[in-house]
Amino acid sequence: MRVILMGPQGAGKGTQAAKLEEETGATHIETGDLVRSEIKSETELGQKIKEYSDKGELVPDEIIIDMTKPYLDENDSWILDGFPRTQEQARALDEALEDIGEELDMVIVLEADDDELVERLSGRRQSEATGEVYHVEHNPPPEEGSEEDPGPFVQREDDTEEAIRNRLDSYHEQTEPLKDFYEEKGILVTVDASKDIDEVTQEVLKAVGEDK
Ligand code: ADP
Ligand code: AMP
């Protein structure tokens, strides 16, 4: 299975990719996570891309393509989350697939309006230990002090109102036009992501033929 999960920041790509990975065994490749790991390692490249990431701007295509390609080559079955975000990246992905004689199965677009997305991102919390993503209201973590307590939690540095608005602008300007590109290929499926998490999961599983 080779699937792209597309959608604005906060639509639930990471949340749904984790469920898809669990159900299908395909590898979740999240470019935002690759970017954050590189920054955390304090490499020269990490320092360079931190400037873009902190402001909510896209990292240059060449860098992000070089970072992502090894993961595409290593895995036969994947769920791409956060890539491609530009025409250049979409072309690079096509070329990488052509090189190995494979095709993309599907592009699933999660749609929700900007006000809902800002609210979701402002309440997003991530477990430092497990990487699991929660929401203070819509998907609260197990109770503090309980056996399953995955705390402490961190709030992402780019989940500030200003960076969120920048990221949503760049989604609408640079990434959303890719919908036409994949629509023309006949592989685009749109899912209403404003519903609650479990309902969206059902729709996503239905799209890939894994609903029960
Ligand atoms: P993305 O990967 O698209 O940026 P996330 O999966 O990180 O989005 O979700 C953003 C925030 O919204 C998280 O706090 C998550 O728990 C919450 N969330 C995800 N899907 C839904 C939903 N359908 N309804 C309400 N909150 C959601
Ligand atoms: P995300 O976790 O998907 O919101 O990504 C966090 C940040 O990483 C973004 O704001 C960008 O700076 C960078 N990033 C992640 N994926 C890409 C991509 N495909 N192209 C350019 N920049 C990216």
Side-chain angles (χ1 to χ4, degrees):
M1 187 176 88
R2 293 182 177 85
V3 172
I4 295 175
L5 265 187
M6 206 174 126
Q9 292 75 6
K13 299 181 296 297
T15 303
Q16 298 303 333
K19 308 227 178 210
L20 258 184
E21 185 174 43
E22 214 175 278
E23 289 292 326
T24 66
T27 304
H28 177 196
I29 303 173
E30 184 186 357
T31 49
D33 220 35
L34 301 182
V35 164
R36 282 183 291 279
S37 298
E38 191 71 40
I39 294 173
K40 215 169 159 191
S41 314
E42 295 182 341
T43 57
E44 208 176 302
L45 179 63
Q47 279 169 4
K48 190 167 165 191
I49 60 184
K50 185 175 182 343
E51 289 171 30
Y52 297 96
S53 173
D54 280 353
K55 285 189 261 176
E57 289 172 8
L58 291 185
V59 170
D61 286 330
E62 206 186 296
I63 297 177
I64 211 87
I65 291 166
D66 282 352
M67 285 175 78
T68 311
K69 200 148 176 306
Y71 292 87
L72 299 174
D73 295 341
E74 257 165 42
N75 296 286
D76 286 337
S77 198
W78 39 248
I79 305 145
L80 256 182
D81 165 3
F83 183 97
R85 282 193 186 169
T86 64
Q87 290 284 355
E88 185 65 32
Q89 293 177 21
R91 264 196 300 273
L93 177 61
D94 267 4
E95 276 170 26
L97 286 166
E98 237 174 77
D99 285 350
I100 53 168
E102 295 292 349
E103 287 188 1
L104 204 52
D105 295 316
M106 196 177 295
V107 178
I108 302 173
V109 187
L110 301 179
E111 303 266 21
D113 67 44
D114 282 5
D115 289 340
E116 167 80 17
L117 299 169
V118 173
E119 194 273 333
R120 285 187 190 177
L121 293 171
S122 309
R124 171 158 68 182
R125 301 290 182 273
Q126 191 166 20
S127 159
E128 267 186 329
T130 66
E132 187 103 3
V133 172
Y134 298 93
H135 188 280
V136 287
E137 255 176 59
H138 310 302
N139 185 21
E143 208 184 321
E144 199 182 338
S146 69
E147 230 172 82
E148 305 85 47
D149 180 4
F153 302 95
V154 281
Q155 191 168 11
R156 276 174 46 176
E157 279 180 31
D158 59 350
D159 277 350
T160 59
E161 174 105 23
E162 197 192 345
I164 291 171
R165 291 282 172 202
N166 271 343
R167 286 149 69 206
L168 290 176
D169 286 348
S170 92
Y171 175 79
H172 293 307
E173 279 163 28
Q174 300 188 67
T175 309
E176 213 163 18
L178 295 181
K179 288 199 293 193
D180 293 340
F181 179 73
Y182 290 118
E183 176 90 79
E184 274 168 32
K185 288 180 186 269
I187 53 171
L188 192 84
V189 178
T190 304
V191 168
D192 176 3
S194 65
K195 297 184 184 157
D196 72 32
I197 293 176
D198 291 341
E199 284 178 274
V200 179
T201 303
Q202 282 316 310
E203 290 298 313
V204 169
L205 290 176
K206 198 152 87 184
V208 299
E210 290 280 344
D211 54 325
K212 292 175 184 131

